[in-house]
PDB file of all heavy atoms in Angstrom:
ATOM      1  N   GLY A  62      19.349  12.381 -17.209  1.00  0.00           N
ATOM      2  CA  GLY A  62      20.713  12.241 -16.384  1.00  0.00           C
ATOM      3  C   GLY A  62      20.721  12.989 -15.130  1.00  0.00           C
ATOM      4  O   GLY A  62      21.585  12.865 -14.414  1.00  0.00           O
ATOM      5  N   SER A  63      19.765  13.903 -14.888  1.00  0.00           N
ATOM      6  CA  SER A  63      19.755  14.697 -13.679  1.00  0.00           C
ATOM      7  C   SER A  63      19.167  13.949 -12.525  1.00  0.00           C
ATOM      8  O   SER A  63      18.308  12.985 -12.747  1.00  0.00           O
ATOM      9  CB  SER A  63      18.935  15.990 -13.831  1.00  0.00           C
ATOM     10  OG  SER A  63      17.543  15.582 -14.134  1.00  0.00           O
ATOM     11  N   PRO A  64      19.525  14.138 -11.275  1.00  0.00           N
ATOM     12  CA  PRO A  64      18.927  13.377 -10.144  1.00  0.00           C
ATOM     13  C   PRO A  64      17.484  13.773 -10.039  1.00  0.00           C
ATOM     14  O   PRO A  64      17.008  14.753 -10.503  1.00  0.00           O
ATOM     15  CB  PRO A  64      19.811  13.866  -8.985  1.00  0.00           C
ATOM     16  CG  PRO A  64      20.285  15.258  -9.400  1.00  0.00           C
ATOM     17  CD  PRO A  64      20.488  15.077 -10.847  1.00  0.00           C
ATOM     18  N   LEU A  65      16.809  12.762  -9.292  1.00  0.00           N
ATOM     19  CA  LEU A  65      15.371  12.925  -9.085  1.00  0.00           C
ATOM     20  C   LEU A  65      15.081  14.142  -8.371  1.00  0.00           C
ATOM     21  O   LEU A  65      14.083  14.890  -8.668  1.00  0.00           O
ATOM     22  CB  LEU A  65      14.848  11.698  -8.371  1.00  0.00           C
ATOM     23  CG  LEU A  65      13.358  11.731  -8.006  1.00  0.00           C
ATOM     24  CD1 LEU A  65      12.543  11.701  -9.274  1.00  0.00           C
ATOM     25  CD2 LEU A  65      12.920  10.563  -7.208  1.00  0.00           C
ATOM     26  N   ILE A  66      15.776  14.422  -7.390  1.00  0.00           N
ATOM     27  CA  ILE A  66      15.590  15.605  -6.652  1.00  0.00           C
ATOM     28  C   ILE A  66      16.663  16.715  -6.984  1.00  0.00           C
ATOM     29  O   ILE A  66      17.799  16.297  -6.934  1.00  0.00           O
ATOM     30  CB  ILE A  66      15.664  15.330  -5.004  1.00  0.00           C
ATOM     31  CG1 ILE A  66      14.544  14.317  -4.662  1.00  0.00           C
ATOM     32  CG2 ILE A  66      15.341  16.614  -4.282  1.00  0.00           C
ATOM     33  CD1 ILE A  66      13.256  14.647  -5.115  1.00  0.00           C
ATOM     34  N   SER A  67      16.234  17.918  -7.128  1.00  0.00           N
ATOM     35  CA  SER A  67      17.165  18.984  -7.586  1.00  0.00           C
ATOM     36  C   SER A  67      18.322  19.094  -6.493  1.00  0.00           C
ATOM     37  O   SER A  67      18.076  19.048  -5.275  1.00  0.00           O
ATOM     38  CB  SER A  67      16.442  20.305  -7.773  1.00  0.00           C
ATOM     39  OG  SER A  67      17.391  21.366  -7.863  1.00  0.00           O
ATOM     40  N   PRO A  68      19.560  19.281  -6.840  1.00  0.00           N
ATOM     41  CA  PRO A  68      20.659  19.394  -5.958  1.00  0.00           C
ATOM     42  C   PRO A  68      20.569  20.756  -5.195  1.00  0.00           C
ATOM     43  O   PRO A  68      21.280  20.956  -4.246  1.00  0.00           O
ATOM     44  CB  PRO A  68      21.955  19.357  -6.750  1.00  0.00           C
ATOM     45  CG  PRO A  68      21.454  19.768  -8.089  1.00  0.00           C
ATOM     46  CD  PRO A  68      20.066  19.193  -8.187  1.00  0.00           C
ATOM     47  N   HIS A  69      19.669  21.659  -5.690  1.00  0.00           N
ATOM     48  CA  HIS A  69      19.552  22.922  -4.948  1.00  0.00           C
ATOM     49  C   HIS A  69      17.944  23.168  -4.628  1.00  0.00           C
ATOM     50  O   HIS A  69      17.353  23.889  -5.366  1.00  0.00           O
ATOM     51  CB  HIS A  69      19.939  24.047  -5.993  1.00  0.00           C
ATOM     52  CG  HIS A  69      21.444  23.977  -6.377  1.00  0.00           C
ATOM     53  ND1 HIS A  69      22.452  24.187  -5.456  1.00  0.00           N
ATOM     54  CD2 HIS A  69      21.996  23.590  -7.535  1.00  0.00           C
ATOM     55  CE1 HIS A  69      23.622  23.941  -6.080  1.00  0.00           C
ATOM     56  NE2 HIS A  69      23.384  23.669  -7.300  1.00  0.00           N
ATOM     57  N   PRO A  70      17.528  22.483  -3.705  1.00  0.00           N
ATOM     58  CA  PRO A  70      16.035  22.473  -3.326  1.00  0.00           C
ATOM     59  C   PRO A  70      15.794  23.921  -2.733  1.00  0.00           C
ATOM     60  O   PRO A  70      16.753  24.577  -2.333  1.00  0.00           O
ATOM     61  CB  PRO A  70      15.966  21.479  -2.244  1.00  0.00           C
ATOM     62  CG  PRO A  70      17.310  21.349  -1.595  1.00  0.00           C
ATOM     63  CD  PRO A  70      18.276  21.604  -2.830  1.00  0.00           C
TER      64      PRO A  70
END
Side-chain angles (χ1 to χ4, degrees):
S63 64
L65 178 63
I66 304 301
S67 169
H69 302 289

